[in-house]
Amino acid sequence: MTHEMIIAGFGGQGVMSLGELLTYAGMHEGKEVSWMPSYGPEMRGGAASCGVIVSDEPVGSPVVTEATAVVVMNLPSLDKFEENVLPGGCLFINSSLIERNSTRTDIKVYRIPANEEAQALGNTRVAGMVILGAVIAVTGVVAIDSIGEIFTKVFGEKRAKLWDINKQALERGYAIAKEMMA
Amino acid sequence: MSKILMKGNEAIAEAAIQAGCRYFFGYPITPQNQIPEYMSRRLPQVGGCFLQAESEVAAINMVYGAGGAGARAMTSSSSPGISLKQEGISYIAGAQVPCVIVNMMRGGPGLGSIQPSQSDYYQATRGGGHGDYRCVVLAPSTVQEAVDMMAEGFDIADQYRIPVILCGDGMLGQMMEPVEMGRYTPRKLPEKTWATTGMGSRKTPNIINSLYIDAAILEQKNAELAAIYDEISANETKWESYRMEDADYMVVAYGTTARIAKSAITKIRAEYGIKVGLLRPMTLWPFPSAAIAEAAAKVKAVLTVEMSTGQMVDDVRLAIAGSKPVEFLGRSGGMIPAPREIIDKLVEMAGGKA
Amino acid sequence: MAVVFKKSPVLADVPLHYCPGCTHGIVHRLIAESIEELGVADRAIGIAPVGCAVFAYNYFNCDMQQAAHGRAPAVGTAIKRVHPDSIVFAYQGDGDLASIGAAEIVHAAARDEKITVIFINNAVYGMTHGQMAPTSLPGQVTTTSPYGRDVNHCGYPIRVCEMLCTLEGNQYMERVAVNNVKNVLAAKKAIKKAFQRQVEGKGFSLVEVLSTCPTNWGMSPQEALKWVDEKMIPYYPLGCYKGGDK
């Protein structure tokens, strides 16, 4: 099984870190992984994005163009990456910030109100973790427990105390997606 | 040793330090800035010296000085900066000073772009500067391979007293992959009895020099260098053969482009049943001409894929010498070929079916 | 028999290739004597330039690296960083140092690299047969300024010591000449001081030596020595510009 994902949003939404969490968690589980950021001037403008691959096979191209899952945190990202979802793949839309739905009919779309859910937990900065929980629930790319085990590898020991709220967000997203799937 | 997740540029820097490199001289340029930044943090911790030079020209000449003085030294840059270094690289080749130069290639010509490219192939493999010389050119396709090649690169440089260029691209430098340090077993190397260390108790001075004003003597020097290049060609040529056993079509690609080709090969075999394999040069100079010729004999046609408008394809054609059709697929300017483009091209070459 | 003069053992026992009346040989001797007297020949590493003095790597009895045109300060920087106990000196001409290598000399001086630069200013490109140098005087006729250096067309000659002495740091910079006995003695003192400071671990040192090129100036050796007095020294005043400590 090969998961090829694109995670996109605007700067400050933590899309790079989300990708890193998935990549670390995959490596932690003994899988083949790669993380490839978009880089250059466009990082400061519209969409910042990264491609994450978690696979049982050695990773070929680190550039994800035919994605098994795409996460979009803002509208420009939806506009840009909607077409990159493979038929039958998944698209996770942050419905708190994106009003329109996907025009694709050959993919599974999950609209997650990530910012609202994060707000309800008391910190909008964990919106990304809500979506990540949903991604894990739907795709099974990594085990949900793996994120906790590698959290400080991405964010450093200094942020270990933030794990609690992030864990809540992750579990909330996971639960929302499971409900949608049921 | 366990695996850690590292950015390509940082992994390359750490690998150099673990290979005993203690001197880094460079000048900022995207997309390789994480290398000097990492070196500026790490080298003082291990008793080394990081110096941000006033220019690329100065940086390569500092490498010449440090390498000539017997130290393991390196510089890194990206395409426009590597052009500036060419004078120094020529002197380094002429004076036979070992060193490692990293080029994280970006689109060109001129200021070009900062996105990944492979358009410095000619420059790297043909010497690049003036005069009759070669650099060993290593082309890793994964972060792990870049780490292993950095270690071996310093050994090759010391063993043959030659500049070694590691050619990556912006993609390899920016991506993160799991790596394991210290996989490479160091070679047994001769002592650097030729280095300028101060004479101490030595009776005759050591001179690092590339001037041979007498034509006959310079010709002799050129012949000596050519003999070393032949020895390197015999000993150090490296390539990877991937799914070539039953292949009807051969893709030739290097570096990150080869990874993209591998993805395409997996998909085309599954979707179309077309048997495609890959021959990936791991050294661009010396070039695996014999391996390519041998592999080409067993296939119907060859496709070279590069992030350029067609440079390595010349070497592929020279290797195959007209015995099989050689097609070319290139993206340039910083555009990265998608697996689908490669698949479409191969399907077209195969007449739409297996 | 009393020995009144003995060649320094730091000079190799080979004939120098310089033209008759050229003062490169004198400066070589002053460097060799300084190294010898300070007892540092075993840890001296020299850098030969591009230009007439390129063969300096054959003339000094110490380890030598030949550098690309203008790059000696960069090469020297690295050698000194690799071997901090070595005594590193670069020998550069005016085209080498003040034109193509202007960036390297400025930044080596700005970093206060603990190296010694001997800068030969003879107001002309010697080896390439007399083209205009960055230090050629206003009105000076050279093979590329056949009507005389026109400052409105190509600017004024660069006074290196004056330019570099504005830099912060522990540098030593002095301009000397080797056109008469008195000046040669003063030059020796400055060159030895430059090396002495490096031995003591002090910063960058540069000695600019006003030198002659009778061949390309189209003069006899005697006329050339006089020309230094009459033309060069007025534009390039002798003296210590920075680091005049005893």
Side-chain angles (χ1 to χ4, degrees):
Chain A
M1 182 66 198
T2 298
H3 296 271
E4 300 199 28
M5 302 190 169
I6 296 168
I7 304 169
F10 51 71
Q13 286 186 306
V15 297
M16 297 301 188
S17 305
L18 281 191
E20 281 191 57
L21 281 171
L22 272 179
T23 312
Y24 261 104
M27 184 176 79
H28 181 67
E29 294 180 7
K31 292 179 174 143
E32 304 282 346
V33 297
S34 74
W35 175 91
M36 174 76 204
S38 60
Y39 70 92
E42 85 276 8
M43 283 173 73
R44 300 204 179 91
S49 69
C50 62
V52 172
I53 298 176
V54 179
S55 177
D56 299 321
E57 310 286 327
V59 176
S61 170
V63 181
V64 179
T65 48
E66 298 177 358
T68 54
V70 169
V71 174
V72 290
M73 297 297 288
N74 65 351
L75 182 62
S77 299
L78 175 64
D79 295 343
K80 186 171 178 187
F81 293 111
E82 187 177 12
E83 64 178 36
N84 291 95
V85 187
L86 270 175
C90 306
L91 175 62
F92 298 87
I93 297 175
N94 178 11
S95 59
S96 303
L97 299 183
I98 306 172
E99 280 182 24
R100 84 164 172 91
N101 206 345
S102 172
T103 55
R104 295 273 301 263
T105 54
D106 58 340
I107 60 173
K108 280 167 272 177
V109 180
Y110 298 87
R111 292 179 60 81
I112 313 287
N115 288 61
E116 285 143 31
E117 291 295 338
Q119 185 106 51
L121 291 169
N123 188 345
T124 51
R125 298 187 62 173
V126 296
M129 286 302 262
V130 174
I131 288 256
L132 186 64
V135 169
I136 290 171
V138 173
T139 65
V141 53
V142 293
I144 192 161
D145 292 342
S146 295
I147 302 295
E149 284 155 22
I150 54 84
F151 184 78
T152 55
K153 295 227 181 207
V154 175
F155 292 106
E157 292 296 336
K158 279 186 189 165
R159 302 228 175 89
K161 60 179 185 293
L162 292 175
W163 171 237
D164 270 350
I165 177 107
N166 278 279
K167 181 168 183 274
Q168 288 173 43
L170 193 66
E171 286 170 352
R172 183 70 195 124
Y174 189 89
I176 292 170
K178 282 290 181 193
E179 273 171 43
M180 287 177 170
M181 291 163 75
Chain B
M1 207 182 272
S2 63
K3 285 190 173 181
I4 45 171
L5 202 56
M6 282 186 102
K7 255 195 177 192
N9 281 336
E10 297 192 338
I12 282 168
E14 180 60 31
I17 287 170
Q18 298 209 8
C21 174
R22 290 293 177 272
Y23 296 88
F24 181 98
F25 308 99
Y27 189 84
I29 185 169
T30 306
Q32 60 81 56
N33 291 318
Q34 293 85 6
I35 299 177
E37 285 165 7
Y38 189 92
M39 284 300 201
S40 70
R41 282 198 304 275
R42 279 282 282 140
L43 275 172
Q45 296 171 357
V46 294
C49 170
F50 164 88
L51 196 60
Q52 184 167 315
E54 57 270 30
S55 67
E56 300 291 3
V57 176
I60 192 67
N61 281 282
M62 289 174 184
V63 169
Y64 170 76
R72 280 200 158 174
M74 71 172 288
T75 185
S76 68
S77 191
S78 182
S79 308
I82 295 291
S83 291
L84 277 167
K85 291 183 195 292
Q86 292 303 334
E87 175 206 41
I89 296 172
S90 173
Y91 277 68
I92 285 169
Q96 294 184 268
V97 171
C99 69
V100 175
I101 300 146
V102 174
N103 181 6
M104 286 298 173
M105 294 183 280
R106 58 187 248 184
L111 200 48
S113 76
I114 60 172
Q115 301 301 328
S117 174
Q118 296 180 320
S119 48
D120 303 344
Y121 179 92
Y122 284 151
Q123 186 193 53
T125 59
R126 265 58 181 175
H130 62 282
D132 208 349
Y133 74 95
R134 288 286 190 269
C135 302
V136 172
V137 184
L138 308 175
S141 75
T142 66
V143 177
Q144 180 67 58
E145 195 169 67
V147 163
D148 299 342
M149 280 181 169
M150 275 308 281
E152 185 163 30
F154 277 102
D155 275 8
I156 291 171
D158 281 350
Q159 183 174 337
Y160 300 98
R161 294 185 58 184
I162 190 170
V164 171
I165 298 177
L166 184 127
C167 268
D169 59 56
M171 205 182 336
L172 187 74
Q174 298 298 324
M175 69 184 292
M176 276 207 284
E177 277 190 307
V179 289
E180 191 181 337
M181 292 286 159
R183 293 205 319 183
Y184 172 76
T185 311
R187 301 180 184 188
K188 210 167 155 17
L189 296 167
E191 262 188 72
K192 298 180 177 180
T193 53
W194 44 264
T196 56
T197 55
M199 283 171 70
S201 55
R202 190 168 7 94
K203 290 283 176 282
T204 49
N206 281 344
I207 297 170
I208 302 291
N209 173 45
S210 63
L211 176 66
Y212 299 91
I213 203 84
D214 183 321
I217 293 174
L218 179 55
E219 186 181 44
Q220 197 184 325
K221 186 73 195 170
N222 287 143
E224 280 170 30
L225 289 176
I228 293 169
Y229 301 151
D230 286 345
E231 193 189 343
I232 293 171
S233 297
N235 297 342
E236 307 292 346
T237 309
K238 281 203 179 123
W239 68 93
E240 180 199 8
S241 185
Y242 174 78
R243 303 191 77 169
M244 282 301 298
E245 305 76 28
D246 61 345
D248 291 325
Y249 296 89
M250 173 167 71
V251 173
V252 183
Y254 69 95
T256 50
T257 306
R259 303 174 64 125
I260 296 166
K262 279 186 184 176
S263 293
I265 287 167
T266 304
K267 285 179 181 167
I268 198 173
R269 280 178 174 258
E271 292 173 16
Y272 293 86
I274 301 173
K275 290 175 184 160
V276 183
L278 170 76
L279 197 140
R280 174 172 73 91
M282 296 163 68
T283 53
L284 303 182
W285 193 90
F287 191 71
S289 302
I292 287 174
E294 197 184 312
K298 298 176 194 151
V299 299
K300 292 175 185 165
V302 179
L303 173 65
T304 302
V305 186
E306 297 174 58
M307 287 192 282
S308 78
T309 52
Q311 299 191 15
M312 181 182 72
V313 65
D314 288 356
D315 281 339
V316 174
R317 290 192 171 119
L318 280 170
I320 290 172
S323 65
K324 290 287 160 63
V326 177
E327 301 272 339
F328 175 73
L329 175 67
R331 294 301 300 270
S332 62
M335 296 300 289
I336 300 167
R340 190 56 53 187
E341 294 172 66
I342 300 174
I343 292 169
D344 291 348
K345 178 75 181 177
L346 285 163
V347 168
E348 178 199 315
M349 285 168 65
K353 56 187 184 301
Chain C
M1 194 166 66
V3 176
V4 292
F5 178 80
K6 194 164 164 277
K7 196 179 74 169
S8 169
V10 178
L11 280 179
D13 207 9
V14 293
L16 306 187
H17 72 284
Y18 299 112
C19 302
C22 166
T23 45
H24 268 306
I26 295 173
V27 183
H28 282 20
R29 175 170 65 79
L30 301 183
I31 292 170
E33 287 174 358
S34 299
I35 291 172
E36 181 194 353
E37 289 163 19
L38 293 166
V40 294
D42 59 336
R43 55 191 174 112
I45 303 173
I47 301 145
V50 168
C52 285
V54 64
F55 293 116
Y57 59 76
N58 282 330
Y59 299 154
F60 290 99
N61 243 332
C62 63
D63 283 0
M64 296 289 293
Q65 288 201 32
Q66 197 280 322
H69 204 200
R71 318 303 171 213
V75 176
T77 291
I79 295 173
K80 185 71 179 187
R81 302 279 183 141
V82 172
H83 299 301
D85 295 331
S86 63
I87 301 301
V88 175
F89 68 99
Y91 192 97
Q92 298 187 264
D94 41 45
D96 190 280
L97 182 141
S99 191
I100 198 166
E104 280 78 4
I105 193 63
V106 166
H107 288 272
R111 289 190 303 264
D112 211 355
E113 296 291 345
K114 296 183 175 66
I115 62 173
T116 297
V117 177
I118 306 300
F119 166 39
I120 305 297
N121 178 0
N122 61 9
V124 79
Y125 281 81
M127 191 181 228
T128 48
H129 295 191
Q131 292 83 2
M132 186 183 74
T135 53
S136 293
L137 295 172
Q140 187 178 336
V141 172
T142 73
T143 55
T144 50
S145 57
Y147 310 110
R149 179 176 186 145
D150 176 0
V151 295
N152 293 316
H153 177 67
C154 51
Y156 284 89
I158 294 171
R159 296 183 178 102
V160 169
C161 281
E162 288 87 333
M163 187 174 76
L164 293 181
C165 74
T166 65
L167 293 164
E168 292 290 334
N170 195 20
Q171 302 92 340
Y172 164 61
M173 292 155 198
E174 180 152 356
R175 183 181 292 123
V176 298
V178 284
N179 63 328
N180 59 47
V181 175
K182 180 170 156 272
N183 283 347
V184 169
L185 290 173
K188 167 68 185 292
K189 211 173 142 197
I191 288 170
K192 188 171 174 182
K193 180 175 167 183
F195 278 97
Q196 174 70 41
R197 283 175 55 101
Q198 191 181 161
V199 171
E200 290 165 3
K202 290 180 182 164
F204 178 86
S205 52
L206 179 143
V207 179
E208 175 174 345
V209 184
L210 301 184
S211 218
T212 63
C213 186
T215 302
N216 287 302
W217 291 355
M219 297 177 195
S220 73
Q222 291 89 338
E223 286 167 344
L225 296 172
K226 228 169 112 190
W227 197 78
V228 170
D229 265 332
E230 290 171 359
K231 302 286 183 187
M232 287 190 78
I233 292 175
Y235 191 90
Y236 298 111
L238 304 184
C240 182
Y241 286 84
K242 196 165 193 293
D245 52 271
K246 295 290 166 190

